[in-house]
Amino acid sequence: MTEWYTPPELLVMATSTNAELLKLSGKRNPYPGDLGVVSEGAFADLLLVDGDPLTDIQLVATPERSFVVIMKDGVIYKNTLEGAGSGGSAGASN
């Protein structure tokens, strides 16, 4: 896909465009709240990437190395930032 789309376009497709598609699935949509946005009450998964995926989309192909924080449904599953406390174990609250 990198032949036809820029990194920003690919990131939009993988995140907010897919969220819009899920919203259109009606009763099959497994998420009762908003998707693809960062706002109170929304279902947002957040990633902190070591690098700029807007210029180097390959960073998302190596999450074990490139993703320094992974948060899903408000729970931090990985946090390798210096001084992060518990070292990023599942359910950590730091």
Side-chain angles (χ1 to χ4, degrees):
M1 295 197 46
T2 57
E3 289 183 45
W4 303 288
Y5 299 101
T6 65
E9 290 171 325
L10 290 169
L11 291 170
V12 167
M13 282 190 273
T15 56
S16 59
T17 300
N18 280 333
E20 289 295 322
L21 289 173
L22 275 171
K23 286 181 190 178
L24 294 174
S25 65
K27 292 180 182 179
R28 293 183 176 153
N29 181 358
Y31 303 102
D34 286 336
L35 296 173
V37 296
V38 179
S39 65
E40 186 175 342
F43 285 86
D45 300 338
L46 301 176
L47 302 172
L48 180 60
V49 180
D50 185 11
D52 184 0
L54 296 175
T55 59
D56 182 7
I57 195 65
Q58 293 304 317
L59 290 168
V60 300
T62 56
E64 67 283 348
R65 182 175 61 233
S66 301
F67 295 177
V68 294
V69 174
I70 300 173
M71 184 173 76
K72 179 172 176 50
D73 297 332
V75 177
I76 295 175
Y77 287 89
K78 177 181 179 182
N79 186 352
T80 60
L81 292 175
E82 190 173 321
S86 68
S89 61
S93 61
N94 52 351

